[in-house]
Amino acid sequence: MGPYAGQYDLPGGRLEPSESLEQAVTREFREETGVAVRVVGSIGVCDFQVLWTLEDRSTERLHHIAMLYQVEVDRREEVRPVKAFPGQDSDGAAWLPPEEIEARSVSPVVLQAVDWLRSRRLSVARSLFDYRT
């Protein structure tokens, strides 16, 4: 289990072979949320490090780089989240109003997205998040 287990996160993951970033965004939304989206713009890049405790009580430092995109939901198409494949870490989907988000219940990229919603800016500085218990 990763550092965001039990927390809200944004759809995302690795690129498939020969897949564009736009294709990956739409695929990840489908797989993890069951929602069809259309990419309408690039927001920017987030750089953050996460400190977290492993099962053996040692700690690990993860360096994540996330590319954020603005999307529109395609209400004409209904899809279902894909549940049965190795590595699937999604457990459904929920829309949360930004004002109801609590920092300890979401991943760092959700916090970055909320900051962008409020300011329309992303920091170029690396952020540090500590998930050690």
Side-chain angles (χ1 to χ4, degrees), residues 17 81 124 131:
V124 295
Y131 284 79

Side-chain angles (χ1 to χ4, degrees), residues 31-117:
E31 288 178 356
E32 296 183 6
T33 71
V35 175
V37 297
R38 182 175 65 85
V39 175
V40 296
S42 175
I43 293 172
V45 177
C46 301
D47 179 15
F48 52 93
Q49 276 194 328
V50 178
L51 299 173
W52 65 294
T53 304
L54 301 170
E55 287 182 19
D56 67 2
R57 304 304 296 159
S58 64
T59 58
E60 186 170 306
R61 183 182 304 256
L62 301 175
H63 187 189
H64 287 186
I65 299 170
M67 291 171 264
L68 297 181
Y69 290 88
Q70 191 168 9
V71 300
E72 289 180 350
V73 174
D74 184 350
R75 300 198 186 282
R76 299 168 298 166
E77 185 177 356
E78 184 178 334
V79 293
R80 298 272 181 243
V82 178
K83 292 283 189 182
F85 66 86
Q88 173 62 297
D89 59 357
S90 178
D91 189 25
W95 294 101
L96 299 176
E99 60 276 4
E100 292 181 17
I101 291 175
E102 297 177 13
R104 293 300 290 181
S105 66
V106 299
S107 71
V109 72
V110 171
L111 295 176
Q112 298 282 343
V114 170
D115 283 347
W116 180 84
L117 286 170

